[in-house]
């Protein structure tokens, strides 16, 4: 079997991970897996050997087995829990070295890696998931409290909003734990080493066919780009860096935010907008403690009405509606108010010019209006400034369509790849927009996997991920089994429960479609169950999360 890739000499931060490193840098630059991951894989190997012997296989060295769990919203989260429980039940889970997830499957993974004993009794975790989805509920007050805290960060984005609204609504769970806290159990080798996959939106959109550099991974030790090989300590991911130096440490993002980054919405843009609008109305009109306190503030009623109408203006603009009625409502609200004289002047200008200017000019005027609408004096006087910041920042992010904002740890770092270093922020999104399974993160040149167990929970074509991976591997010169697209297209309407793909110098890929004729019983049932399961999603039509 192939050995794991050997990392080259690295530069790393002594503050985060003691060891041989260049103390002049807080960034770790290397190609291949880290020393911490090597140690985890080595320790995991001992558990793998023991598990293989329990299965009657007397070998000196076990294979590196990677389990890939695909995206698919709540359906994927539920299916992922079931797959892992069954692998444990039949004694195969302890043969797994890596667990790599995309999108909805990371919702399940995050629950398991939050609990120190979550892996000891997966049947118990499965029962808890069932109970939670049936009995627990989404709470406006809890969501709003979290959003007001998140809005204090200067890297707030719609991903924060999505975390506390849609993802919490679907999973009935908010996780305050952190991935870096899973380091101990993963490095001891008692659990599979986790890899949470996402994509850098700007790199994905740069037009490069290979998209090799766009993949961004989170592990308990390091977070970053596996290719070309640039990482920051997971505990510091989201902190501010400049020129390779840590300039401002921020709290580590929790699992709830990670869920939203990895499982951001991949759907029809109008459905996403409607979902955001529905949740926003609950937050601003939900009789919350924050709303009640705002109404007792000077100009509180005006501020609430103003923020509600500004959000409606942005929503109407993005959905190609008629903005003039909302602008006239704003005119009525702010007439004679000394705090908003500049905003009032601009609104009058917008009403007069609206039908005579381009869409880009209209958007710029709305941006200008938002900038003039958060009066700093009123903000200082308010008893709920974080609530006002949340309303205002969410409206701004909606107009700019800003998702997955995190401080770029490579900002102004000394490297030739300016796409990685020129921007202060990076924008991370669901990797399912590229390949709905994390194949690139377990294949060479990053990691050398011998056997891939691919569990595909996607609706639609059950072979889409493996066909996309073969094309990706050809473009990047990565060994991968040959895939017969025509044959798989014939199989797609009534797939079997297992397909095995083999190739020279390539890993063995065992592909398990969720919807298959063994589980579903017939071709017709495969189709109907695949379509009927959409109620687990807020959205069903999948497309790239592009800015409107």
């Amino acid at each position: 079997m192939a050995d794991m890739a050997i990392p080259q000499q690295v530069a790393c931060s002594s503050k985060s991970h003691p060891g041989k490193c260049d103390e002049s840098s807080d960034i770790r630059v290397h190609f291949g897996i880290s020393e911490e991951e090597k140690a985890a894989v080595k320790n995991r190997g001992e558990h793998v050997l023991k598990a293989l012997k329990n299965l009657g296989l007397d070998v000196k060295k076990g294979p590196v087995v990677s389990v890939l769990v695909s995206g698919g919203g709540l359906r994927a989260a539920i299916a992922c829990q079931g797959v892992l429980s069954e692998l444990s039940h039949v004694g195969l889970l302890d043969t797994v070295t890596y667990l790599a997830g995309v999108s909805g499957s990371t919702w399940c993974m995050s629950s398991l890696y939050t609990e120190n004993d979550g892996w000891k009794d997966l049947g118990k975790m499965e029962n808890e998931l069932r109970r939670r989805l049936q009995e627990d509920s989404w709470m406006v007050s809890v969501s709003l409290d979290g959003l007001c805290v998140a809005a204090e960060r200067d890297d707030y984005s719609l991903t924060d909003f999505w975390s506390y609204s849609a993802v919490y609504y679907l999973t009935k769970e908010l996780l305050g734990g952190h991935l870096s806290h899973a380091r101990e159990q993963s490095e001891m080798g008692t659990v599979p080493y986790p890899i949470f996959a996402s994509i850098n939106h700007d790199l994905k959109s740069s037009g490069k066919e290979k998209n090799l550099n766009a993949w961004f991974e989170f592990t308990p030790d390091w977070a970053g780009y596996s290719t070309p090989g640039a990482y920051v300590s997971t505990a510091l991911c989201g902190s501010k860096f400049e020129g390779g130096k840590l300039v401002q440490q921020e709290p580590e993002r929790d699992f709830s935010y990670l869920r939203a980054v990895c499982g951001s919405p991949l759907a029809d843009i109008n459905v996403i907008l409607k979902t955001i609008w529905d949740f926003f109305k609950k937050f601003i009109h939900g009789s919350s403690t924050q709303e009640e306190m705002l109404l007792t503030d000077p100009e509180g009623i005006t501020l609430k009405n103003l923020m509600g109408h500004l959000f409606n203006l942005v929503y109407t603009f993005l959905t190609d509606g008629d903005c003039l009625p909302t602008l006239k409502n704003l005119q009525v609200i702010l007439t004679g108010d000394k705090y908003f004289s500049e905003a009032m002047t601009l609104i009058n200008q917008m009403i007069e010019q609206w039908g005579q200017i381009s869409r880009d000019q209209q958007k710029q005027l709305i941006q200008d209006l938002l900038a003039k609408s958060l009066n700093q004096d009123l903000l200082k006087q308010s008893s709920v400034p974080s609530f006002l910041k949340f309303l205002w920042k969410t409206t701004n992010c909606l107009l700019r369509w800003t998702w997955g904002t995190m401080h770029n740890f490579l900002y102004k770092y000394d490297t030739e790849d300016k796409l990685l270093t020129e921007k202060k922020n990076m924008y991370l999104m669901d990797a399912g927009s590229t390949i709905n399974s994390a194949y690139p993160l377990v294949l060479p040149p990053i990691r050398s996997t011998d056997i891939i167990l691919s569990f595909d929970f996607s609706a639609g074509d059950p072979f889409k991920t493996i066909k996309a991976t073969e094309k990706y591997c050809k473009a990047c010169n990565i060994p991968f089994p040959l895939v017969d697209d025509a044959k798989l297209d014939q199989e797609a309407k009534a797939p079997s429960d297992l397909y095995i793909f083999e190739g020279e110098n390539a890993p063995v890929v065992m592909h398990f479609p969720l919807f298959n004729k063994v589980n579903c019983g017939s071709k017709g049932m495969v189709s109907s169950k695949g379509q009927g399961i959409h109620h687990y999603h807020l959205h069903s039509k999948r497309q790239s999360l592009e800015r409107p």
Side-chain angles (χ1 to χ4, degrees), residues 250-533:
E250 300 283 355
E252 180 183 355
R253 290 290 200 167
D254 60 21
F255 268 122
S256 288
Y257 183 81
L258 188 59
R259 279 177 161 182
V261 166
C262 296
S264 51
L266 299 171
D268 178 80
I269 185 65
N270 289 319
V271 178
I272 299 173
L273 287 168
K274 180 64 165 59
T275 301
I276 293 174
W277 174 229
D278 287 343
F279 278 114
F280 190 88
K281 286 190 291 186
K282 290 180 173 66
F283 291 131
I284 197 170
H285 302 302
S287 300
S288 64
T289 300
Q290 290 90 339
E291 181 197 2
E292 292 174 0
M293 293 176 67
L294 174 63
L295 294 179
T296 65
D297 285 349
E299 302 289 333
I301 295 175
T302 299
L303 282 169
K304 178 188 171 182
N305 290 333
L306 171 63
M307 295 312 303
H309 280 84
L310 285 173
F311 193 92
N312 187 47
L313 176 65
V314 172
Y315 175 79
T316 303
F317 174 76
L318 293 177
T319 53
D320 297 322
D322 183 3
C323 293
L324 279 175
T326 304
L327 286 169
K328 291 177 181 178
N329 286 334
L330 285 167
Q331 188 182 51
V332 171
I333 292 170
L334 300 183
T335 294
D337 195 308
K338 64 180 181 179
Y339 289 103
F340 300 103
S341 57
E342 290 187 7
M344 187 64 189
T345 300
L346 182 56
I347 289 171
N348 291 334
Q349 176 189 341
M350 293 169 73
I351 291 174
E352 182 179 345
Q353 299 178 354
W354 195 255
Q356 305 167 22
I357 56 179
S358 69
R359 183 169 177 81
D360 287 343
Q361 290 172 319
Q362 290 174 345
K363 182 176 181 180
Q364 184 59 57
L365 286 174
I366 296 176
Q367 289 179 358
D368 295 342
L369 178 60
L370 289 173
K372 295 179 184 299
S373 297
L374 189 64
N375 184 281
Q376 293 300 316
D377 290 335
L378 289 177
L379 188 64
K380 291 176 183 178
Q381 297 174 29
S382 176
S383 56
V384 282
S386 60
F387 180 54
L388 288 174
K389 287 180 184 177
F390 153 65
L391 298 175
W392 186 79
K393 285 188 175 183
T394 301
T395 305
N396 267 278
C397 289
L398 184 66
L399 179 63
R400 298 171 186 271
W401 204 239
T402 305
W403 294 83
T405 307
M406 296 189 80
H407 296 303
N408 181 12
F409 67 94
L410 291 175
Y411 178 57
K412 291 188 177 180
Y413 190 76
D414 186 15
T415 179
E416 294 181 359
D417 194 339
K418 299 306 178 185
L419 284 175
L420 292 174
T421 62
E422 63 186 359
K423 294 184 179 180
K424 287 186 177 181
N425 293 323
M426 52 187 179
Y427 302 93
L428 303 180
M429 60 183 290
D430 194 320
S433 62
T434 300
I435 300 175
N436 201 28
S437 197
Y439 281 97
L441 300 182
V442 300
L443 292 169
I446 304 158
R447 296 174 176 92
S448 295
T449 299
D450 300 308
I451 300 172
I452 293 176
L453 305 183
S454 167
F455 294 94
D456 197 310
F457 312 131
S458 307
D461 185 354
F463 305 109
K464 183 177 180 179
T465 57
I466 199 163
K467 289 187 288 188
T469 301
E470 188 207 25
K471 291 180 175 62
Y472 170 92
C473 288
K474 282 183 178 179
C476 299
N477 296 315
I478 297 171
F480 194 77
L482 293 176
V483 174
D484 187 335
D485 283 14
K487 183 176 180 181
L488 293 182
D489 288 342
Q490 292 179 348
E491 291 277 320
K493 292 183 179 180
S496 297
D497 56 344
L498 169 62
Y499 293 84
I500 299 177
F501 302 88
E502 298 178 272
E504 186 176 356
N505 298 320
V508 175
V509 178
M510 304 178 72
H511 187 69
F512 302 85
L514 174 62
F515 300 110
N516 60 72
K517 59 188 178 185
V518 176
N519 287 341
C520 300
S522 69
K523 177 179 177 180
M525 289 299 292
V526 169
S527 177
S528 64
K529 287 193 175 184
Q531 295 172 358
I533 206 75

Side-chain angles (χ1 to χ4, degrees), residues 120-251:
K120 295 179 180 179
D121 191 345
L122 288 172
K124 179 181 177 181
M125 293 295 290
E126 187 175 333
N127 290 333
E128 167 57 21
L129 172 63
R130 184 181 297 109
R131 184 210 62 78
R132 188 173 73 245
L133 294 178
Q134 292 176 341
E135 300 177 11
D136 290 355
S137 59
W138 177 77
M139 299 180 64
V140 176
S141 60
V142 174
S143 292
L144 192 52
D145 287 344
L147 283 166
C148 288
V149 172
E152 294 293 338
R153 296 183 63 118
D154 58 9
D155 59 352
Y156 177 88
S157 73
L158 289 177
T159 300
D160 293 277
F161 186 89
W162 200 253
S163 168
Y164 285 98
S165 57
V167 178
Y168 173 29
Y169 179 86
L170 287 170
T171 63
K172 306 296 188 293
E173 182 181 43
L174 281 176
L175 295 175
H178 302 90
L179 181 56
S180 67
H181 294 173
R183 184 180 301 154
E184 182 178 354
Q185 59 177 335
S186 63
E187 289 186 354
M188 288 174 61
T190 56
V191 298
Y193 194 81
I195 306 170
F196 290 71
S198 65
I199 288 286
N200 183 314
H201 180 274
D202 287 338
L203 296 181
K204 173 183 177 291
S205 303
S206 65
K208 291 186 177 180
E209 178 187 0
K210 298 179 181 180
N211 276 328
L212 185 61
N213 294 357
W215 286 79
F216 191 99
E217 66 178 49
F218 296 86
T219 73
D221 297 295
W222 299 93
Y225 305 96
S226 47
T227 305
Y231 299 87
V232 63
S233 170
T234 299
L236 293 177
C237 189
S239 294
K240 290 184 180 180
F241 289 82
E242 186 170 333
K245 293 291 185 179
L246 177 65
V247 296
Q248 182 178 327
Q249 185 167 346
E250 300 283 355

